[in-house]
Amino acid sequence: MAAENRVRKIIKSSLKLLATALIIAFLVQRLGWESILNTVRGADSTWLAAGAGIFFVSVILGVVQWQLLLRNRGLDLPFSRAFRLYYVGMFFNNFIMGGIVGDAVKVASIRSHDGKGKIGFAATVLDRFAGLWAMCGFAVVGSIILLNRGMLTHGRITTAVIALFAAFALFAGIMLFLMAKPLQKLLFSVTDKFAVCQKFRIKEIVTEMLIEARDYKLLAAVAFLAVLTQFLRIGVHVLTAAALGLLTVDNFQYFFIFVPIIAMMMTIPLPFGVREAFGGVLFALAGFPSEQAVIMGFLASLTGIAVSSMGGVFFVTGKIYTKR
């Protein structure tokens, strides 16, 4: 059985690598290798370095947010270990081409070496949820501003904005459930009736993620950190656009709509290149030069990959398993 699972993982990884290679080959064929090189060479390295810098700051803030949620759940990890685990998670998310693979690695380490897998899972899910909630909030505010200005006229962009509002409503419902005891009791009364829910300990896992509405300090701290962290992540894309000479006063608002959409796609284990190409299409629809918009997406992703590559070192050297 273990060998069969290993073969499946190898096949899946191989298919993703193949898909990535095909996507990149298609883009190179369509954009032209010379055009890509000239665009990259013309990028301002100062802006790219600034993007890498604020991405690293966002990582530090993300570590603090995750550590705060772990502590609230009952697991007080030292900052050094939380930093390593968080970094390893980012490394896997970027290099294994799956937005949740890194989260699974972090939880597995906590479960194996701290014996608190449910706490690690709950804190990690809440951490991811807070980030998506903040991103979605930016997107909704940006969409409302551009709608008022009559700047969202393209049908496909409008469809994307509608999807964002639907996602925001979904997140609001999840947040309400996490804080409203009547809704929690209703769900548990249903799950208690099914043996499969009891087998997978659904009630225990969900209970770990519940939030006390009166815990204002935790909610305020997590909200502040999530908003600031995601603002900086959006800033990486903005600075990448500046490096390519694409940023203007009239178009910077689109980053607060399209980057959150791309971020939400990160929760799906898609091959590298799909999100970047999709993001390029969105920015092209908003008036950005199509070729440069695609390259902008790849450069922004490569910035994150470069900064998170240290996570690979932590993983290989086994530093994430250092006990308290």
Side-chain angles (χ1 to χ4, degrees):
M1 191 67 177
E4 184 179 341
N5 290 334
R6 195 177 300 113
V7 170
R8 287 179 181 175
K9 289 180 180 179
I10 292 174
I11 292 175
K12 287 181 180 179
S13 298
S14 299
L15 289 175
K16 288 180 179 179
L17 287 172
L18 177 61
T20 296
L22 291 174
I23 291 168
I24 293 176
F26 171 76
L27 291 174
V28 170
Q29 188 275 331
R30 181 173 180 179
L31 303 180
W33 185 244
E34 278 299 319
S35 177
I36 294 174
L37 286 180
N38 289 336
T39 301
V40 173
R41 285 177 188 146
D44 190 324
S45 59
T46 302
W47 287 116
L48 293 177
I54 67 169
F55 188 87
F56 180 74
V57 173
S58 77
V59 172
I60 299 298
L61 293 175
V63 174
V64 174
Q65 176 180 304
W66 187 55
Q67 188 184 27
L68 183 64
L69 288 167
L70 285 169
R71 186 180 299 125
N72 179 261
R73 302 288 114 176
L75 178 59
D76 191 7
L77 286 186
F79 181 83
S80 59
R81 182 158 182 257
F83 177 80
R84 294 187 184 104
L85 272 174
Y86 194 89
Y87 235 104
V88 168
M90 291 188 61
F91 169 77
F92 274 89
N93 283 345
N94 283 318
F95 283 86
I96 308 301
M97 299 172 294
I100 60 174
V101 175
D103 294 340
V105 172
K106 292 188 294 185
V107 174
S109 177
I110 290 175
R111 179 183 179 184
S112 176
H113 298 273
D114 299 278
K116 297 184 177 181
K118 285 189 293 184
I119 289 176
F121 177 80
T124 301
V125 170
L126 288 172
D127 176 71
R128 178 60 71 96
F129 175 73
L132 290 174
W133 176 265
M135 276 290 197
C136 199
F138 278 123
V140 168
V141 173
S143 299
I144 291 174
I145 292 174
L146 293 185
L147 283 170
N148 287 336
R149 294 179 180 178
M151 297 175 68
L152 293 180
T153 56
H154 196 286
R156 293 180 182 176
I157 297 179
T158 303
T159 301
V161 169
I162 292 173
L164 272 174
F165 276 86
F168 187 80
L170 175 62
F171 289 161
I174 295 173
M175 191 67 181
L176 180 63
F177 166 77
L178 292 174
M179 300 177 64
K181 293 189 181 299
L183 291 177
Q184 297 161 15
K185 290 180 180 179
L186 177 62
L187 174 68
F188 294 148
S189 67
V190 174
T191 58
D192 288 342
K193 296 178 181 179
F194 295 94
V196 65
C197 294
Q198 297 176 18
K199 179 181 179 181
F200 290 101
R201 299 180 178 179
I202 300 298
K203 184 175 182 178
E204 293 180 37
I205 295 173
V206 173
T207 299
E208 285 287 352
M209 291 187 286
L210 300 181
I211 302 171
E212 291 291 337
R214 62 177 179 274
D215 197 352
Y216 298 113
K217 291 184 178 180
L218 173 68
L219 291 172
V222 171
F224 173 77
L225 288 168
V227 169
L228 186 54
T229 299
Q230 302 311 318
F231 178 79
L232 292 177
R233 299 279 169 89
I234 294 173
V236 174
H237 290 259
V238 173
L239 292 177
T240 303
L244 295 173
L246 300 177
L247 185 66
T248 68
V249 176
D250 295 325
N251 68 20
F252 80 94
Q253 302 97 327
Y254 288 105
F255 290 91
F256 290 90
I257 300 174
F258 298 153
V259 175
I261 295 176
I262 299 170
M264 290 178 194
M265 293 182 69
M266 283 287 289
T267 60
I268 305 173
L270 295 171
F272 176 75
V274 173
R275 292 180 293 267
E276 291 74 16
F278 176 73
V281 171
L282 285 177
F283 280 104
L285 292 175
F288 286 71
S290 58
E291 294 182 2
Q292 291 175 302
V294 173
I295 295 172
M296 176 180 70
F298 276 93
L299 277 180
S301 292
L302 290 174
T303 298
I305 289 173
V307 174
S308 63
S309 60
M310 183 59 67
V313 178
F314 290 150
F315 181 76
V316 171
T317 58
K319 293 295 185 182
I320 64 169
Y321 297 119
T322 302
K323 294 185 179 183
R324 298 173 56 186

